[in-house]
Amino acid sequence: MRPSAVRLLNILVPVKRTVDYAVKIRVNPDQKGVDLNVKHSMNPFDEIAVEEAVRLRERLKDEVKSIKVVTIGPTKAAETLRTALAIGADSAIHIEVPESAPAPEPLGVAKALRAVIEREKEGVDLVIMGKQAIDDDAGQTGQMLAGLMDWAQATFASKLVVDPKKKEAEVTREIDGGLQELKCRLPLVVTTDLRLNEPRYASLPNIMKAKKKPIEKLTPAELGVDLKPILETIKVTEPPKRVGGGKVENVDQLIAKLKEAGITPVKS
Amino acid sequence: MVSRLASRHFSRTAVASSDVRPTSLDVFTEEEQMLRESVRRFAEDVVAPKVREMDENEMMDPEIIKALFEQGLMGIETSADHGGSESSFTSAIIVIEELARVDPSVSVMCDVHNTLVNTVIRTHGTQEQKDKWLPLLAQTTLGSFCLSEPASGSDAFALQTRAKKDGDHWILNGTKMWITNSYEADIFLIFANVDPSKGYKGITCFLATKDMGIKIAKKEQKLGIRASSTCSLAFDDLRIPAENIIGGEGKGYKIAIEILNEGRIGIAAQMLGLAQGAFDKAVPYTFQRSQFGKPVGTFQGLAFQQAQAAVELEAARLLTYNAARRKEEGRDFVREAAIAKYAASQVAQRVSGAAIEWTGGIGFTRETGIEKYWRDSKIGAIYEGTSNIQLQTIAKFIQKQYS
């Protein structure tokens, strides 16, 4: 768990293979899940994370020693790793689980990531990951990982500046009130928000180079981690269908309609 | 009496060795799949917003050309040593298809540059020529392939551009017509005859750069693929160094014939992408537009038309990719390339036309871009070998096999 000596950064980017953002989601008849027989791709926030790691290297050059990506999933999840390698990661770890295994939960993922970090001989200085996955929208894994590692965390990052010499990072976070600027000490967990960057398209030469980059295969057992779910999904339903609205001619009509709907004025 | 003639001849199917199990025809490698996804996103994000403007202005946006180079899409089969992507022929076909789904003009620019210009130099160039020209073509400079003339299209080898030797240079005089990419290109492969008395055996391939004195005589205004520049070129005592002859004197005929066979598969891919793009744009609309109380796509008549289009698309797809695989495997592919190009161009016309009809008035206006596919599709039956020429090629194979 020690960060690497001197000033070189080892970056870990966890990625998740999720249902593609453009797919029209259909709830299964058993109401326990959604139809997964559809197009999958890398979680968009994770793409932003990989892109940010590659951009850090473009800015800091030799000061970034390695960019490693990791995923937990069945055999097909390796495609996501290859995409990350094609965008510019150096190597990958595939924690393989059976196709029939239930989807891992944030705490399980965080524990697995901790195990990965602890076995990295060169250590890990910076974890950049998506703020949430678009399938479960949990938004917990980054925070849990920082807690387990006793590391600093800077979530919903819209800007990231790293100084490897000082072992510090400045992160701008998007919060409800506006933008918050944090100065953090490495090692650090950063979770990405939409406006951090716009991911590049994997160029053909990089896709060809990705073929030769190594993917290490591990199992949860080898990491000493149990990914059995502790949550049970009781029901999944579609959001209620939108009912039509109405048009009003003036403010008086608006107030009348609001009163009809049972909305009362707030007493100040 | 049943004729036995048909059975005695060679078969075009091949037998797999015993330890290799052949796969179905729509199987791709992981890299090819990744490439398809990447180019598709690139085309949708970067090219799509500019398609209408480029079509209305009849001008290719230089930013698009630059972006294609940056993505490594202009040196697809070129080796990494020469700055290329060192990828396969099928990868090039995938790129051409995915670009055509969004804009057949951008697709043909990439197709001609890769399958005609790059391949000729890669296949027939000397080491010096490859070292000099391939990196430029892969990274910065657009190429153009100049064969057709006002008096020679299908009868390509009746070309009249003459080359006369002058010391260590050649002087070219003549006109080329219908030349794709020529407005933006800086590298030109020009076919000229060095000795008309030898007929087609005098035809030679010359590599010229624009600054040697190539003049754009006229930029055509076209029905379709309007953003792809199509110009007439004039060579007025154009001086080309002798070291720029590709493949040797008199070898131009062979070079052109061979390369056009490959290029055919590229055009098939362009037409396939076009048809698929039109289909993908029109069909979702038919499930949103309701008339008589239900989406128009759920009426059986229209649904059957969509099914027929899907049949044609599937056929064109398999023909195109099988021809590409045959070429990659070093098997004969001339007949299959002609079949793929002919079929895909016909399918493109029919499916893009149907797409307009399914979407009705909206399909007829220029706003949605559906009518553009139909206009763009017409050229498929004309360039890189007209449909009649393709049929003649296929007929020759039939005659060889059955008579």
Side-chain angles (χ1 to χ4, degrees):
Chain A
M1 207 201 73
R2 284 172 19 243
S4 62
V6 205
R7 304 159 347 221
L8 301 180
L9 282 185
N10 288 308
I11 305 178
L12 183 70
V13 182
V15 297
K16 186 178 185 185
R17 180 173 178 264
T18 59
V19 172
D20 186 83
Y21 79 91
V23 166
K24 203 164 168 215
I25 307 289
R26 276 182 238 272
V27 177
N28 284 335
D30 64 5
Q31 290 199 326
K32 291 278 188 196
V34 299
D35 182 13
L36 292 176
N37 219 337
V38 293
K39 179 159 186 248
H40 281 63
S41 45
M42 193 189 298
N43 181 33
F45 293 106
D46 299 348
E47 274 182 11
I48 293 175
V50 177
E51 173 70 23
E52 193 61 21
V54 175
R55 287 194 189 191
L56 271 176
R57 171 174 270 156
E58 285 170 353
R59 269 177 261 141
L60 300 173
K61 308 217 193 317
D62 287 340
E63 290 184 291
V64 172
K65 183 148 189 244
S66 73
I67 301 174
K68 193 173 271 202
V69 287
V70 56
T71 200
I72 303 174
T75 321
K76 277 185 277 202
E79 284 166 19
T80 314
L81 293 175
R82 287 267 172 238
T83 307
L85 293 171
I87 296 175
D90 304 320
S91 60
I93 298 175
H94 183 182
I95 304 173
E96 207 166 338
V97 295
E99 182 78 40
S100 53
E105 294 169 352
L107 185 56
V109 174
K111 286 180 176 169
L113 291 177
R114 172 177 61 178
V116 165
I117 293 172
E118 285 173 348
R119 77 190 274 284
E120 280 296 302
K121 291 190 201 69
E122 307 271 324
V124 172
D125 308 287
L126 182 60
V127 174
I128 311 179
M129 54 199 286
K131 72 173 183 181
Q132 67 201 61
I134 60 171
D135 50 10
D136 58 17
D137 280 328
Q140 304 164 8
T141 312
Q143 293 89 329
M144 286 175 170
L145 176 62
L148 288 173
M149 300 295 300
D150 202 22
W151 283 10
Q153 61 179 267
T155 53
F156 319 132
S158 64
K159 189 166 176 210
L160 173 63
V161 178
V162 182
D163 187 339
K165 293 185 197 67
K166 287 200 199 146
K167 291 178 121 2
E168 275 174 8
E170 278 175 23
V171 182
T172 305
R173 305 178 62 223
E174 292 192 354
I175 58 175
D176 285 342
L179 298 175
Q180 182 189 55
E181 286 179 23
L182 292 182
K183 189 181 275 194
C184 322
R185 257 196 294 272
L186 302 184
L188 173 67
V189 174
V190 174
T191 73
T192 67
D193 212 327
L194 211 53
R195 274 155 287 279
L196 180 57
N197 63 49
E198 238 188 82
R200 67 196 62 194
Y201 309 97
S203 71
L204 180 48
N206 285 339
I207 292 175
M208 299 307 290
K209 280 188 211 149
K211 260 201 294 203
K212 304 188 189 115
K213 294 182 182 176
I215 298 185
E216 190 188 352
K217 285 213 194 290
L218 294 173
T219 62
E222 282 172 314
L223 289 172
V225 171
D226 181 6
L227 290 178
K228 202 160 76 223
I230 55 179
L231 300 172
E232 183 197 339
T233 300
I234 300 181
K235 194 169 171 193
V236 178
T237 55
E238 282 187 19
K241 291 256 183 294
R242 285 186 73 177
V243 283
K247 271 196 174 147
V248 294
E249 298 291 309
N250 52 46
V251 178
D252 289 326
Q253 271 194 13
L254 174 62
I255 294 176
K257 287 248 178 229
L258 288 173
K259 284 196 179 142
E260 255 175 58
I263 297 170
T264 50
V266 172
K267 298 222 180 338
S268 53
Chain B
M1 186 194 81
V2 173
S3 167
R4 298 223 152 169
L5 289 174
S7 58
R8 75 162 186 231
H9 253 285
F10 68 105
S11 167
R12 290 188 70 80
T13 59
V15 178
S17 65
S18 53
D19 54 345
V20 173
R21 179 155 185 82
T23 65
S24 45
L25 298 177
D26 53 353
V27 176
F28 295 93
T29 67
E30 209 183 316
E31 291 80 46
E32 287 166 351
Q33 258 315 107
M34 273 170 63
L35 175 60
R36 188 184 284 282
E37 301 272 337
S38 189
V39 178
R40 186 173 297 188
R41 274 172 79 178
F42 168 79
E44 283 166 8
D45 293 348
V46 176
V47 179
K50 303 203 166 156
V51 171
R52 178 145 185 226
E53 190 190 314
M54 294 198 292
D55 185 57
E56 300 278 332
N57 295 341
E58 221 160 356
M59 184 69 77
M60 185 67 68
D61 189 330
E63 291 299 310
I64 300 277
I65 307 180
K66 192 159 152 236
L68 288 177
F69 277 108
E70 280 166 4
Q71 290 295 304
L73 300 177
M74 299 299 253
I76 298 174
E77 294 175 84
T78 303
S79 72
D81 294 339
H82 286 131
S85 306
E86 205 162 308
S87 203
S88 64
F89 180 70
T90 300
S91 296
I93 295 305
I94 290 173
V95 172
I96 295 165
E97 184 202 339
E98 291 300 324
L99 288 174
R101 279 191 194 216
V102 169
D103 190 352
S105 300
V106 174
S107 175
V108 74
M109 173 173 71
C110 182
D111 167 58
V112 164
H113 183 92
N114 275 287
T115 66
L116 299 183
V117 182
N118 280 349
T119 305
V120 164
I121 297 173
R122 234 179 40 246
T123 314
H124 300 283
T126 61
Q127 194 56 47
E128 289 78 27
Q129 288 170 333
K130 288 196 272 203
D131 291 343
K132 182 172 182 187
W133 301 109
L134 288 179
L136 288 171
L137 287 164
Q139 295 167 326
T140 53
T141 316
L142 187 63
S144 185
F145 185 88
C146 314
L147 180 63
S148 294
E149 298 183 359
S152 57
S154 293
D155 192 5
F157 305 106
L159 61 87
Q160 290 175 342
T161 300
R162 294 279 176 265
K164 277 209 189 80
K165 196 149 192 186
D166 179 26
D168 57 359
H169 275 71
W170 288 82
I171 317 255
L172 265 64
N173 276 288
T175 327
K176 292 291 181 189
M177 202 165 171
W178 315 123
I179 308 303
T180 301
N181 291 354
S182 47
Y183 196 74
E184 296 87 6
D186 260 307
I187 293 177
F188 295 78
L189 290 181
I190 304 172
F191 290 82
N193 204 321
V194 303
D195 186 352
S197 72
K198 289 197 182 131
Y200 70 85
K201 292 193 180 143
I203 296 176
T204 304
C205 179
F206 292 87
L207 189 154
T209 52
K210 185 103 173 254
D211 55 13
M212 287 174 186
I214 297 175
K215 293 189 203 84
I216 309 274
K218 180 187 181 199
K219 188 172 183 230
E220 300 291 348
Q221 292 171 309
K222 309 190 295 290
L223 168 66
I225 54 165
R226 286 160 52 109
S228 159
S229 61
T230 308
C231 307
S232 298
L233 307 177
F235 312 130
D236 199 359
D237 285 342
L238 179 70
R239 285 180 69 82
I240 302 180
E243 69 200 24
N244 280 21
I245 289 184
I246 307 280
E249 271 180 57
K251 294 290 187 293
Y253 172 75
K254 189 160 176 289
I255 292 175
I257 283 266
E258 281 172 10
I259 203 65
L260 287 172
N261 282 323
E262 269 185 52
R264 245 141 240 187
I265 306 176
I267 297 300
Q270 183 211 19
M271 289 292 125
L272 170 64
L274 185 161
Q276 191 70 59
F279 189 88
D280 290 345
K281 237 191 174 128
V283 171
Y285 176 80
T286 67
F287 296 114
Q288 281 162 21
R289 166 78 173 181
S290 284
Q291 291 282 272
F292 308 109
K294 56 182 196 159
V296 299
T298 58
F299 285 95
Q300 196 176 56
L302 206 149
F304 279 13
Q305 288 163 7
Q306 289 176 349
Q308 283 170 325
V311 169
E312 297 209 290
L313 276 170
E314 181 83 2
R317 180 171 297 283
L318 295 177
L319 286 171
T320 304
Y321 282 101
N322 199 45
R325 292 290 190 210
R326 283 186 76 117
K327 187 223 169 275
E328 256 179 15
E329 290 161 17
R331 297 172 63 200
D332 286 337
F333 66 90
V334 172
R335 173 182 171 269
E336 287 71 19
I339 291 178
K341 196 258 186 189
Y342 173 77
S345 56
Q346 302 278 307
V347 169
Q349 267 266 273
R350 286 196 289 269
V351 172
S352 59
I356 299 178
E357 290 183 39
W358 297 337
T359 49
I362 286 238
F364 196 72
T365 69
R366 297 216 289 276
E367 215 171 303
T368 56
I370 292 174
E371 53 78 39
K372 179 177 178 291
Y373 288 105
W374 190 68
R375 285 188 286 113
D376 288 348
S377 69
K378 199 66 199 172
I379 194 64
I382 299 171
Y383 65 4
E384 282 202 48
T386 63
S387 287
N388 283 346
I389 293 289
Q390 307 303 337
L391 290 173
Q392 188 175 66
T393 302
I394 300 165
K396 277 201 194 127
F397 277 95
I398 297 173
Q399 283 155 21
K400 201 160 138 192
Q401 191 176 355
Y402 286 83
S403 66

